[in-house]
């Protein structure tokens, strides 16, 4: 009896703790959503907690009227799609040959690739390279430098090498060559891992900020995150500028900043629940290898 | 000369030579496609990964943008001597280590606790729901998180300080006071990653033999005891290897997170190696200094990685190679 009670008490505590953590997780987003829909007066009067006070759509009107935001959104969507296709193409091309044990030079290739995971030229040499290739301020600097992730490559290679060899052997006997095998046999069997890796690439590109910051100055090449950074950060928050004693400058109302954040976040939140399980299975495959 | 290189040398056995060449020819005929596939990827690695390594030379020269790397004059280690005399450099290194250390001390145990809690949850639907919510911050970019934090932690209108002042305290300057900032930085890091990092631990916990638990119940163990004596030891290998990997990355630090959270008031603590390189290199255009610092980081980072990997292998766990 007593242990039964202890068990129940334990379960209850665990559930409460988890619930609290879930709430803590959600509070920031609820708050930002609330601020984005609130009137400025209410925000400054410190009345806005988790629900809008003084309902106002002014902030969203401003955001949706901002053509640069809209353009940045569509640009980033298109960029993400193109990048994902390109990256998956390269990753598949690289992973398949590296699973073939008979490939001469296989170890050399693998070593070369693994080295790049642990050592790189650095921010400045990368910048100099992009500059010398004439890719600054073009779409190529957002597509090419990141298009092959060695980490994703290893995940795919591991998956390919776990496919039964007999399939390929019988295909060879039937007169198929490697290209046929790859496209007709291996890829159709790999759809889960292909989906997962596509999502890894897509999320990485969608959240990508640093390369756009470093390599682009043209407005129409700004990724969504960079655009958000400019809106939110280049107008300093009220208190920072006050403490610094600097001029208030072009202050953007809190509600507008919050609306911009929501604009950049909602797409992910909409898509995320459906895609969640692909990410988890990808982590598992990666973890088993690593 | 045919493909099958029939040798006319007296000493060689013609049949073996034919066999070798035949083998190579056959091999190439069957596998040339593989090499074709590898052309583009290898070009990628050569151009975008190995070519920049050549750019490290900038650290050893007085780089002039117009002369390019080749024509800029060598200055041997003068740049390195310069950075080792810069207070800002030491500050960046110190901050990098400090913030990473705090991430290890506070951010490393958190997913372990959470994973254990989640694994003990009885109600499956609630568990799935909780996991979905808890993984979500991992997918938000640091710009989004930083923007949210500017509002959340605002001393005047932020919800947290509203609560703090409602309790009668002075508002806390989370983002503008150097020391509170460090706590905010670390906490947000935990918020962002704790859920996602439970995945590996949950998988490890699932791999523990359930007979151990049953035997413990027979011995009269309660829930906490089972966790302490079975769950934790069961995931110890995972914990150790992940800890070692994280320690191996002590010198590395991302760019997005510090940049998203920094401002001029906390820069004494927020300037890390990555932001230093950005500031000095791409904003002030002192390429040689920035490259030297980056190179320093790469080398020290490699030393850390190799050392911690060595320790990992010695302790019986599989290394990362």
């Amino acid at each position: 009896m007593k242990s039964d009670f202890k068990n129940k008490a334990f379960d209850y505590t665990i559930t409460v703790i988890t619930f609290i953590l879930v709430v803590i997780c959600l509070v920031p987003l609820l708050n930002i959503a609330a601020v984005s829909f609130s009137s400025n007066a209410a925000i400054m009067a410190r009345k806005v907690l988790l629900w809008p006070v003084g309902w106002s759509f002014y902030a969203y009107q401003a955001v949706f009227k901002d053509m640069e935001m809209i353009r940045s959104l569509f640009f980033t969507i298109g960029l993400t799609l193109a990048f994902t296709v390109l990256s998956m193409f390269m990753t598949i091309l690289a992973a398949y040959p590296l699973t073939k044990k008979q490939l001469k030079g296989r170890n050399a290739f693998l070593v070369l690739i693994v080295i790049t995971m642990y050592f790189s030229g650095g921010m400045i040499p990368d910048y100099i390279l992009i500059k010398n290739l004439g890719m600054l301020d073009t779409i190529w600097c957002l597509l090419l430098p990141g298009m092959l992730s060695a980490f994703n490559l290893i995940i795919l290679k591991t998956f390919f090498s776990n496919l039964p060899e007999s399939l390929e052997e019988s295909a060879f006997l039937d007169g198929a060559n490697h290209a046929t095998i790859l496209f007709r046999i291996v890829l159709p069997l790999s759809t889960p891992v292909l989906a997962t890796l596509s999502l890894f690439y897509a999320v990485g590109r969608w959240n990508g900020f640093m390369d756009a910051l470093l390599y682009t100055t043209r407005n129409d090449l700004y990724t969504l995150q960079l655009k958000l950074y400019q809106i939110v950060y280049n107008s300093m928050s009220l208190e920072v500028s006050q403490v610094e004693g600097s001029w208030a400058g072009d202050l953007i109302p809190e509600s507008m900043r919050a609306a911009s954040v929501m604009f950049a976040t909602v797409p992910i939140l909409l898509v995320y629940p459906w895609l969640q399980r692909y990410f988890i299975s990808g982590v598992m495959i990666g973890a088993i290898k690593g | 000369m045919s493909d099958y290189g029939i040798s006319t040398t007296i000493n060689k056995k013609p049949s073996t030579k034919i066999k070798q060449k035949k083998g190579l020819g056959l091999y190439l005929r069957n596998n040339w496609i593989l090499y074709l596939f590898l052309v583009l990827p290898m070009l990628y690695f050569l151009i975008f990964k190995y070519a920049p390594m050549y750019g490290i030379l900038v650290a050893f020269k007085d780089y002039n943008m117009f002369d390019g790397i080749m024509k800029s004059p060598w200055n041997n280690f003068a740049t390195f001597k310069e950075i080792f005399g810069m207070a800002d450099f030491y500050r960046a290194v110190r901050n990098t280590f400090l913030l990473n250390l705090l991430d290890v001390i506070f951010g490393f145990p958190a997913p372990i606790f959470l994973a254990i809690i989640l694994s003990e949850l009885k109600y499956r639907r609630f568990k799935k729901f909780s996991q979905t919510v808890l993984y979500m911050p991992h997918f938000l970019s640091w710009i989004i998180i930083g923007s949210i934090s500017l509002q959340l932690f605002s001393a005047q209108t932020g919800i947290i300080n509203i609560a703090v002042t409602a309790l009668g305290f002075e508002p806390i300057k989370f983002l503008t006071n150097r020391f509170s900032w460090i706590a905010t930085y670390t906490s947000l890091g935990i918020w962002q990653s704790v859920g996602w990092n439970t995945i590996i631990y949950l998988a490890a916990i699932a791999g523990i033999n359930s007979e151990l638990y049953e035997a413990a119940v027979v011995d009269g163990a309660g829930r906490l005891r089972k966790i302490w004596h079975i769950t934790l030891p069961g995931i110890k290998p995972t914990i150790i290897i992940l800890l070692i990997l994280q320690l191996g990355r002590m010198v590395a630090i991302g760019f997005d997170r510090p940049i998203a959270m920094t401002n001029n008031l906390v820069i004494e603590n927020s300037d890390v190696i990555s932001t230093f390189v950005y500031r000095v290199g791409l904003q002030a255009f002192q390429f040689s200094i920035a490259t030297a610092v980056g190179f320093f980081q790469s080398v020290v980072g490699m030393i850390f990685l190799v050392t911690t990997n060595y320790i990992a292998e010695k302790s019986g766990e599989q290394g990362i190679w």
Side-chain angles (χ1 to χ4, degrees):
Chain A
M1 286 279 104
K2 195 146 188 236
S3 68
D4 213 32
F5 169 75
K6 270 179 152 185
N7 239 345
K8 292 233 155 168
F10 186 82
D11 279 329
Y12 182 68
T13 322
I14 293 273
T15 313
V16 166
I17 294 180
T18 313
F19 183 74
I20 294 178
L21 291 174
V22 165
V23 165
I24 293 181
C25 220
L26 291 173
V27 158
L29 288 165
L30 291 174
N31 179 245
I32 279 283
V35 168
S36 68
F37 283 110
S38 300
S39 71
N40 269 324
I43 298 174
M44 298 312 270
R46 317 170 86 232
K47 287 208 201 120
V48 182
L49 296 172
L50 296 176
W51 192 254
V53 175
W55 276 89
S56 155
F57 293 97
Y58 157 74
Y60 283 99
Q61 283 173 337
V63 168
F64 279 98
K65 271 201 230 143
D66 184 352
M67 283 320 293
E68 292 201 354
M69 274 295 261
I70 308 278
R71 177 173 53 189
S72 185
L73 175 68
F74 286 113
F75 170 71
T76 310
I77 293 177
L79 180 72
T80 303
L81 287 172
F83 178 77
T84 306
V85 169
L86 185 64
S87 303
M88 286 310 291
F89 176 70
M90 293 291 278
T91 312
I92 294 171
L93 273 189
Y96 179 75
L98 292 174
T99 48
K100 302 291 165 227
K101 298 203 184 68
Q102 76 266 25
L103 188 75
K104 290 191 200 294
R106 175 174 178 246
N107 279 335
F109 288 127
L110 282 173
V111 165
L112 279 176
I113 292 176
V114 170
I115 289 181
T116 68
M117 282 172 73
Y118 298 105
F119 187 79
S120 70
M123 205 190 282
I124 302 297
D126 282 344
Y127 179 82
I128 295 179
L129 175 78
I130 304 285
K131 182 164 179 297
N132 287 341
L133 288 176
M135 293 200 312
L136 282 182
D137 259 341
T138 68
I139 196 165
W140 300 109
C141 66
L142 300 176
L143 283 175
L144 300 185
M147 72 178 162
L148 233 193
S149 153
F151 182 72
N152 290 351
L153 171 59
I154 292 182
I155 293 181
L156 190 60
K157 171 177 114 42
T158 308
F159 185 88
F160 281 170
S161 51
N162 285 338
L163 294 175
E165 281 184 27
S166 47
L167 285 171
E168 295 180 31
E169 281 166 9
S170 42
F172 264 126
L173 290 174
D174 287 342
N177 63 19
H178 280 296
T180 326
I181 295 180
L182 175 61
F183 289 110
R184 292 268 182 87
I185 302 179
V186 173
L187 286 187
L189 284 178
S190 315
T191 37
V193 75
L194 293 178
T196 306
L197 291 179
S198 305
L199 289 175
F200 279 170
Y201 278 123
V203 170
R205 180 62 271 172
W206 180 267
N207 284 342
F209 158 76
M210 182 170 133
D211 54 353
L213 179 70
L214 263 52
Y215 302 139
T216 63
T217 57
R218 280 169 45 188
N219 270 338
D220 57 343
L221 285 176
Y222 285 163
T223 61
L224 193 56
Q225 303 301 324
L226 181 59
K227 194 85 193 81
L228 180 66
Y229 177 75
Q230 288 183 330
I231 291 181
V232 173
Y233 285 77
N234 284 344
S235 73
M236 294 248 244
S237 73
L238 191 59
E239 64 191 84
V240 174
S241 48
Q242 276 183 349
V243 175
E244 274 199 304
S246 60
W247 56 291
D250 216 340
L251 270 188
I252 294 187
E254 302 280 355
S255 60
M256 248 200 79
R257 296 213 326 232
S260 307
V261 172
M262 292 296 290
F263 186 80
T265 310
V266 163
I268 305 177
L269 293 181
L270 285 179
V271 161
Y272 162 71
W274 320 118
L275 305 179
Q276 188 213 125
R277 59 194 172 102
Y278 290 109
F279 288 106
I280 299 180
S281 70
V283 172
M284 304 296 280
I285 300 176
I288 293 169
K289 157 66 190 176
Chain B
M1 208 44 181
S2 78
D3 272 344
Y4 293 80
I6 299 174
S7 167
T8 51
T9 317
I10 307 173
N11 293 336
K12 289 219 171 81
K13 279 203 185 148
S15 53
T16 339
K17 203 113 206 252
I18 296 174
K19 233 194 205 161
Q20 284 177 353
K21 285 282 177 138
K22 205 175 190 169
L24 183 63
L26 186 65
Y27 168 78
L28 280 176
R29 250 190 321 153
N30 281 340
N31 293 301
W32 66 276
I33 295 185
L34 295 181
Y35 290 100
L36 181 69
F37 283 173
L38 282 174
V39 164
L40 280 178
M42 281 304 150
L43 264 181
Y44 168 83
F45 281 108
L46 276 167
I47 296 177
F48 289 104
K49 300 289 177 187
Y50 282 95
M53 292 187 195
Y54 171 72
I56 293 177
L57 290 181
V58 169
F60 298 92
K61 293 185 170 217
D62 284 326
Y63 182 72
N64 183 316
M65 247 197 294
F66 302 104
D67 288 339
I69 301 182
M70 298 285 304
K71 297 211 193 94
S72 298
W74 289 97
N75 70 11
N76 295 329
F77 288 95
T79 320
F80 287 95
K81 287 200 200 123
E82 195 179 338
I83 63 173
F84 288 133
M86 282 172 81
D88 276 6
F89 169 72
Y90 290 109
R91 182 180 74 179
V93 174
R94 177 202 74 193
N95 288 339
T96 307
F97 273 115
L98 177 65
L99 294 176
N100 279 341
L101 192 64
L102 287 173
D103 274 344
V104 171
I105 296 177
F106 295 103
F108 185 78
I112 303 176
F113 285 125
L114 186 56
I116 294 179
I117 290 177
L118 284 175
S119 70
E120 293 284 333
L121 257 186
K122 262 217 162 55
Y123 313 104
R124 267 219 294 145
R125 282 240 228 118
F126 178 60
K127 177 176 171 182
K128 286 213 107 197
F129 169 75
S130 312
Q131 283 177 292
T132 304
V133 172
L134 291 168
Y135 295 157
M136 181 260 303
H138 170 84
F139 293 94
L140 302 176
S141 79
W142 271 105
I143 305 301
I144 291 180
I145 300 179
S147 310
I148 294 180
S149 76
L150 280 177
Q151 172 57 41
L152 210 70
F153 292 104
S154 157
Q156 282 149 333
T157 61
I159 185 176
I160 303 201
N161 272 317
I162 293 180
V164 163
T165 47
L167 289 174
F169 297 103
E170 284 292 305
I172 306 177
K173 295 181 182 294
F174 287 104
L175 296 172
T176 48
N177 171 295
R178 277 171 58 198
F179 302 103
S180 335
W181 182 88
I182 298 180
T184 312
Y185 177 91
T186 311
S187 311
L188 279 178
I190 298 178
W191 181 79
Q192 194 247 10
S193 63
V194 65
W196 184 256
N197 287 340
T198 59
I199 295 180
I200 291 197
Y201 292 114
L202 284 173
I205 292 177
I208 297 178
N209 191 346
S210 53
E211 287 177 12
L212 290 170
Y213 289 111
E214 290 159 22
V217 171
V218 168
D219 286 343
R223 301 287 285 275
L224 282 172
R225 283 245 159 168
K226 281 195 278 186
I227 294 177
W228 184 256
H229 288 282
I230 301 178
T231 314
L232 275 178
I235 58 176
K236 195 170 80 133
T238 312
I239 295 180
I240 292 182
I241 191 76
L242 287 178
L243 179 62
I244 290 177
L245 283 179
Q246 186 153 350
L247 288 174
R249 294 191 297 253
M250 275 297 257
V251 187
I253 194 160
F255 177 78
D256 287 18
R257 182 175 168 200
I259 268 280
M261 296 204 57
T262 190
N263 59 61
N264 285 334
L265 295 170
V266 296
I267 200 154
E268 188 62 28
N269 278 109
S270 69
D271 198 37
V272 292
I273 295 183
S274 54
T275 53
F276 177 89
V277 171
Y278 173 67
R279 253 188 335 108
V280 169
L282 293 175
Q283 285 182 326
F285 294 111
Q286 300 186 53
F287 276 27
S288 296
I289 293 183
T291 310
V293 173
F295 181 60
F296 170 81
Q297 182 185 34
S298 294
V299 169
V300 175
M302 274 302 282
I303 296 177
F304 265 79
L305 267 172
V306 171
T307 314
T308 55
N309 188 54
Y310 177 75
I311 297 175
E313 279 175 2
K314 274 294 168 152
S315 72
E317 315 295 340
Q318 196 192 11
I320 42 178
W321 308 114

